Amino acid sequence: MEQFDVAVIGGGPGGYVAAIRCAQLGKKTVLVENRDLGGTCLNRGCIPTKTLLHTAELYDEIRGHGKELGLAADGLAVDYAALAARKDAVVARLRRGIEGLVRGRKISLVKGSAVFTGPGTLAVTDAGVAGGRPRESAAEYAAADIIIAAGCEPSSIPVPGAELPFVLNSDAVLSLAKAPESAVIIGGGVIGVEFATLFNALGKKITIIEMLPKILTGMDDSVCAAMTKTLTKRGVEIHTGAKLLEIAEKPGTGGKAAALCRYEEGGAKKEAFGDMVIMAVGRRPVTKALALEAAGIACERGFINVDERMATGVPGVWAIGDVTGKVQLAHVASAQALVAAANIAGENAKMRYDIIPACVYTNPEIASVGLTEEAAKAAGLPLKIGAFPAAANGRSMIMNVNDGFVKIITHAETGEILGAHIMAPRATDMIGEIAALMKAEGTVEELAATIHAHPTVSEMIMEAAHDVEGLCCHKL
Ligand code: NAI
């Protein structure tokens, strides 16, 4: 049995970052991965979707506003096969980068599926490895510390027809060689809304069926309402408070618009049609095959219980990323990885979840950090709120964007920034400014007094900060 200081299960943005940091801290580290390095984020999530969205938005902008922008692009067309090939190339290049980092840090990379055989021991088999040959016997590893970073996978709902071949999860959608002409998306969460943005921009007919009263539940109400309006204006059909009853094959369609979704909305039974159904109803942890019981690790609905130090309660066993069921975001997994690695190295690091930027790659983009207005009110905090519209921002106008705003929620007495919500071009790149200030415990006065370059979209943040005290010069 080979002995290591640290064994990491899973090579996503949680696991590979944990392995690299442990190696940086002088630990002899092994990283076990049964698919590709980079995990969901790189191979089946963040990177492929944003690559597709980049092209879709260029196409949509030129197709919809080319003439107005001074661009004649007659015959403009989407070559989806070429787009899919570019997506794969971007993913492959980033994956090679991670492989280089892992190799460069002298981390032992083992291809296979890890199974606990005890609190500090793992057996690695070829089970679940694509193209893997069965081994005579499993390779065995012992480690003083084991970090579980096995991630999550798309889940489904038990409605009749959910198993039909034209019902796709996000993994399958990202592998398509051809875009559907129409689709019904079940779930108006982040994945549902990003796929709606993608296929709508490519000129396809999209219907969203969401069970809850609004899309993007969890985000500030103002953002949910504004994005609902923007998507609807662009032709996406959104049904909220809608209960999916059944998925079936549409009869007599001759292969066209094959899927039929029956749902209930406001007490009435309705139908929606599409080439395919995209299931985007959340993700479940990948912990079943790990034999956690062999190490006595406690789970709840498959998610591994951890404390703020990322400890599982079993000495020397840690868990990070989507398996912890905290916040299913790549950057949270990486942050948890650094906390776990620091604790393995003898520190007492703790994970905080109060300042986490969350981004949705819609058009315009959405980004938020901290409390929503609803949560801040529910907490009974005294609030002062400032806002600034994209329609009054020069750079947004130059970029041909009129929808959107920046909203900053502050503590009325201390000026502390409690939360910020942005729907604007490059919102996802701008949210870091506010997150950094929140981390440094800065005040909204400091944000307002920070000179922001002109003309930039980021001026909206400064203007909203001034607006908290009613002192915004570019707003009546
Ligand atoms: P989600 O939890 O964000 O949204 C799922 C939606 O499906 C919810 O609104 C839920 O009410 C709805 N739903 C559930 N059952 C339903 C039913 N029977 N009928 C109709 N609607 C139903 O999950 P999603 O969008 O699948 O994303 C999974 C995770 O991946 C999230 O935690 C998200 O944060 C993360 N992610 C993050 C991205 C980003 O940061 N840009 C992009 C994509 C995913």
Side-chain angles (χ1 to χ4, degrees):
M1 186 178 301
E2 206 174 342
Q3 179 74 43
F4 285 87
D5 295 326
V6 181
V8 182
I9 306 172
Y16 84 76
V17 169
I20 289 173
R21 179 51 59 91
C22 287
Q24 284 173 326
L25 296 174
K27 302 283 179 187
K28 185 183 174 203
T29 304
V30 58
L31 174 59
V32 188
E33 167 60 59
N34 60 13
R35 295 171 84 171
D36 291 311
L37 278 184
T40 300
C41 165
L42 173 54
N43 299 290
R44 299 171 296 282
C46 321
I47 300 298
T49 45
K50 276 72 217 175
T51 310
L52 296 176
L53 275 161
H54 175 69
T55 295
E57 280 166 16
L58 286 174
Y59 171 72
D60 191 38
E61 184 69 4
I62 297 170
R63 180 182 59 135
H65 303 281
K67 282 212 172 72
E68 195 186 319
L69 294 168
L71 291 169
D74 299 339
L76 183 73
V78 176
D79 178 348
Y80 197 85
L83 171 53
R86 173 164 195 269
K87 168 203 63 148
D88 293 341
V90 170
V91 169
R93 191 164 161 205
L94 284 167
R95 201 191 290 138
R96 280 196 300 276
I98 297 172
E99 280 161 8
L101 291 172
V102 166
R103 234 182 288 115
R105 293 281 169 195
K106 311 269 181 286
I107 294 162
S108 300
L109 184 58
V110 174
K111 185 105 177 159
S113 296
V115 178
F116 276 90
T117 50
T121 52
L122 297 171
V124 176
T125 73
D126 286 335
V129 178
R133 281 172 296 128
R135 279 185 204 167
E136 294 286 302
S137 61
E140 306 234 19
Y141 300 91
D145 288 281
I146 297 178
I147 302 176
I148 308 167
C152 65
E153 61 189 7
S155 58
S156 187
I157 42 172
V159 290
E163 70 298 334
L164 285 164
F166 49 73
V167 181
L168 274 56
N169 63 24
S170 55
D171 291 0
V173 174
L174 290 172
S175 306
L176 289 172
K178 189 172 169 283
E181 285 310 309
S182 58
V184 181
I185 300 178
I186 313 299
V190 190
I191 293 184
V193 166
E194 286 189 357
F195 277 138
T197 302
L198 169 68
F199 290 122
N200 172 258
L202 293 175
K204 314 303 183 188
K205 180 172 173 350
I206 298 299
T207 308
I208 296 178
I209 296 179
E210 166 59 53
M211 183 172 69
L212 296 175
K214 57 178 193 167
I215 58 166
L216 298 175
T217 296
M219 298 229 120
D220 195 89
D221 271 351
S222 60
V223 167
C224 303
M227 187 42 67
T228 301
K229 213 167 143 192
T230 296
L231 285 170
T232 306
K233 193 170 72 184
R234 289 166 184 257
V236 176
E237 209 179 298
I238 301 176
H239 300 278
T240 51
K243 185 170 185 278
L244 180 70
L245 302 171
E246 179 189 13
I247 303 170
E249 197 164 338
K250 191 183 172 198
T253 47
K256 284 188 110 190
L260 154 63
C261 292
R262 293 203 175 87
Y263 63 100
E264 198 176 303
E265 188 181 7
K269 294 226 161 72
K270 300 184 178 176
E271 294 181 333
F273 302 96
D275 280 0
M276 63 176 60
V277 175
I278 299 175
M279 198 59 89
V281 293
R283 299 176 59 86
R284 61 177 171 231
V286 184
T287 47
K288 259 197 203 134
L290 295 173
L292 296 175
E293 58 290 348
I297 301 158
C299 275
E300 239 175 84
R301 290 176 302 113
F303 291 106
I304 300 172
N305 294 331
V306 284
D307 63 12
E308 56 196 348
R309 302 177 71 244
M310 312 320 301
T312 62
V314 175
V317 182
W318 314 78
I320 59 172
D322 291 347
V323 291
T324 65
K326 298 284 183 196
V327 186
Q328 291 180 338
L329 294 173
H331 45 282
V332 172
S334 299
Q336 291 175 324
L338 300 184
V339 169
N343 289 329
I344 287 170
E347 285 178 42
N348 186 22
K350 290 180 180 166
M351 182 67 199
R352 279 178 55 176
Y353 297 93
D354 53 343
I355 310 175
I356 292 174
C359 300
V360 194
Y361 291 75
T362 42
N363 185 11
E365 293 177 346
I366 293 169
S368 80
V369 63
L371 295 179
T372 61
E373 184 178 340
E374 299 75 49
K377 278 185 176 152
L381 296 166
L383 304 182
K384 271 191 187 170
I385 295 174
F388 193 80
N393 171 254
R395 188 75 205 277
S396 296
M397 206 178 294
I398 291 165
M399 295 168 85
N400 202 27
V401 176
N402 294 303
D403 293 354
F405 56 87
V406 169
K407 171 170 157 182
I408 300 176
I409 300 159
T410 70
H411 192 289
E413 286 147 22
T414 63
E416 182 192 352
I417 300 170
L418 301 171
H421 307 279
I422 307 178
M423 179 169 135
R426 300 283 174 225
T428 60
D429 291 319
M430 296 195 298
I431 198 69
E433 170 186 356
I434 300 177
L437 192 65
M438 287 171 75
K439 184 87 175 69
E441 296 178 5
T443 63
V444 70
E445 289 85 357
E446 287 165 304
L447 188 57
T450 301
I451 299 172
H452 284 66
H454 177 76
T456 61
V457 184
S458 74
E459 285 174 284
M460 288 170 66
I461 293 174
M462 179 184 69
E463 302 283 12
H466 280 303
D467 188 53
V468 168
E469 292 299 338
L471 291 172
C472 173
C473 293
H474 294 96
K475 184 179 157 184
L476 288 174

